[in-house]
Every structure is written in C-alpha cells, then in structure tokens.
Amino acid sequence: MLRSLTRTPLMASTVQKQAVRSFMTSVAVADRPRSKALGAVRTGGGSKDSLDISNLDDFQFDDSTTVGYDTMEAQREVRKYLRITKYELPKLKEFVKPFQPPTKTQILRFRTSTYLGEANHPAAPKVVLTVPTKSLPLTNPELHKFLLLVGPRYDPVKEQIKMSCEKFQDRSQNFKWLSDVLDTLINEAKKDPEQFKDVELDLRHAAKSMKPKVRFPKEWNRPVNKAVEASA
C-alpha cells in the first residue's frame, strides 16, 4: 500500500509529460503547412528574407519618397480645412444673433477657458467671476463690510471683486457655486454694517499694484544742443 502511494505522484507526472509531448507533436504537425506558407511569404519563396533591409532592391525613382508622402499628407490636411471653410462655415449664418450689450442689472462677468483638442482638460471646468464694486446694491457701510468679508479677492486698483471655482467637474456647477457665494456675501454684508465701520481694510495683498510708479522728471533731462541737431 505504501509503495503504491509513493509511486502515484511519479506516475502522474509521467502521464502529464506524455500528454504534453503528444499535444505539442500534434500541434506542430497541424501547423506545419501554415508555417511553410508564412516562410514562403517572408522569404519570397527563396532563401532571402524580403523584410531584411540588406536584401531590399535599389530605389529606381519610380515612387515618391517619404518626404514627398509627408508633403502630400500636409496638402490633404490643408485642403480638408479649406473645404470646411468653404462649405461648412457659411451654414453657421443661420445661428447668428445680434449683439446685445449687458444691461445695468447684469453686472456679473464669468470667464471660462476652452482647450482645443483636449475635451477633458483638468482646467476646463474652472470659472472666474468678476464684478465691479460700484455696481453692487450696497450702501457705503454695507460695501465696507462686504470688502472686509471678501478680503484679498478685492482689487482696489480696478475696484472689482474676483473669485474663481474649480471644485466641480461640471462647469455649470461652478457657475452656480460662485453665484450662491456672492449672494451669501451680499446678504451677510447687510446685517448690522455699522458695527464694522471702524475696521480698516487690509490692502497688503495689493500693495505692489498700488505703489506709485517713479518717473524721471523732465527737468532733469540733459539739455539738447539745437546747433548739433541742425548739423546732423
């Protein structure tokens, strides 16, 4: 009994080897005509390999070169866009709408960026909101509190608020988020604005842009000799 148990793994491995050997032999016999056909295609029916660069025939100038094919491909692409310009662009006239300037109530300006050829660009959903402070429906105390709440998003040189959002993948959600935040800030600024009238605005973020530019005084210019200019 022990001998049979000890010989069983050896017998199993021998049977497996024989089965694999017979299977490989049958595959080789069955695939022999196909291998011969592939060898005939690769070697062209002879002893030379037609895909070997050293066995290629000399160029007889009976076909275009690689540079020539590249030039023709560039011409095809140019003609493609010329056809689009001639036949497709005139169809867009049906969708033309007259320009209407924004009204006094339309004070919000949204800016987005579109990257051609990249539909899923990571910066495409970003939306930037700018609004002039003079257009906000706020009194002077309310505007002062509003600017305190906004903080460094206020530009004192351009007198406008600038905010951006890229939290969501959908651009419309970023539009809505900015609009809601602006409404919340305006409503909060209208609550007891007199309590913050003594608080000064922190404009250190705009100190560089508010710094006056030093210009060379005209009185310090070197006097010009008119006689020398006339002779020149």
Side-chain angles (χ1 to χ4, degrees):
M1 187 67 181
L2 294 175
R3 292 181 180 179
S4 60
L5 290 176
T6 54
R7 292 180 182 179
T8 301
L10 296 175
M11 294 175 62
S13 60
T14 305
V15 171
Q16 290 178 358
K17 290 181 181 179
Q18 292 178 356
V20 171
R21 190 179 295 107
S22 60
F23 175 76
M24 296 298 295
T25 304
S26 61
V27 170
V29 173
D31 198 47
R32 191 173 299 167
R34 181 183 176 187
S35 61
K36 288 183 178 180
L38 290 176
V41 172
R42 291 174 180 173
T43 59
S47 59
K48 294 183 179 180
D49 188 0
S50 60
L51 299 181
D52 190 359
I53 298 178
S54 59
N55 296 329
L56 293 178
D57 297 334
D58 296 336
F59 183 64
Q60 303 297 330
F61 299 95
D62 54 350
D63 195 2
S64 181
T65 60
T66 304
V67 178
Y69 279 113
D70 292 340
T71 304
M72 287 190 291
E73 186 64 27
Q75 292 178 356
R76 291 192 187 99
E77 187 174 3
V78 171
R79 291 177 181 178
K80 170 187 173 182
Y81 289 107
L82 289 177
R83 286 192 296 269
I84 293 176
T85 304
K86 184 176 181 180
Y87 299 107
E88 300 296 333
L89 291 183
K91 297 179 181 179
L92 298 178
K93 293 182 179 180
E94 303 176 359
F95 305 96
V96 174
K97 296 181 180 180
F99 173 74
Q100 295 180 357
T103 61
K104 295 182 179 180
T105 59
Q106 298 174 344
I107 61 176
L108 304 182
R109 299 178 182 178
F110 294 94
R111 179 176 61 84
T112 59
S113 301
T114 302
Y115 299 86
L116 298 178
E118 299 185 29
N120 298 323
H121 195 277
K126 183 178 180 180
V127 180
V128 181
L129 167 65
T130 56
V131 54
T133 55
K134 295 181 179 179
S135 303
L136 295 173
L138 298 173
T139 60
N140 290 334
E142 294 174 351
L143 180 60
H144 181 74
K145 183 180 178 181
F146 177 81
L147 297 180
L148 289 175
L149 294 173
V150 171
R153 296 170 183 82
Y154 171 58
D155 188 355
V157 178
K158 298 181 180 180
E159 295 184 352
Q160 68 178 11
I161 306 299
K162 184 178 180 180
M163 298 186 298
S164 63
C165 178
E166 51 183 340
K167 297 176 61 176
F168 308 98
Q169 293 296 327
D170 191 2
R171 184 180 292 176
S172 60
Q173 292 179 306
N174 294 325
F175 274 101
K176 186 66 169 61
W177 188 89
L178 289 173
S179 179
D180 293 343
V181 169
L182 182 62
D183 293 339
T184 304
L185 290 172
I186 292 176
N187 294 332
E188 189 66 26
K190 292 182 179 181
K191 298 178 182 179
D192 299 330
E194 298 294 337
Q195 297 181 359
F196 301 89
K197 63 180 181 180
D198 297 333
V199 181
E200 296 183 0
L201 291 176
D202 187 3
L203 302 178
R204 288 178 296 178
H205 63 278
K208 186 176 181 180
S209 59
M210 295 175 61
K211 185 177 180 180
K213 297 181 179 180
V214 179
R215 296 183 179 180
F216 192 81
K218 295 182 179 180
E219 295 80 7
W220 293 4
N221 291 335
R222 180 180 297 178
V224 179
N225 192 348
K226 295 184 180 179
V228 175
E229 288 186 352
S231 62

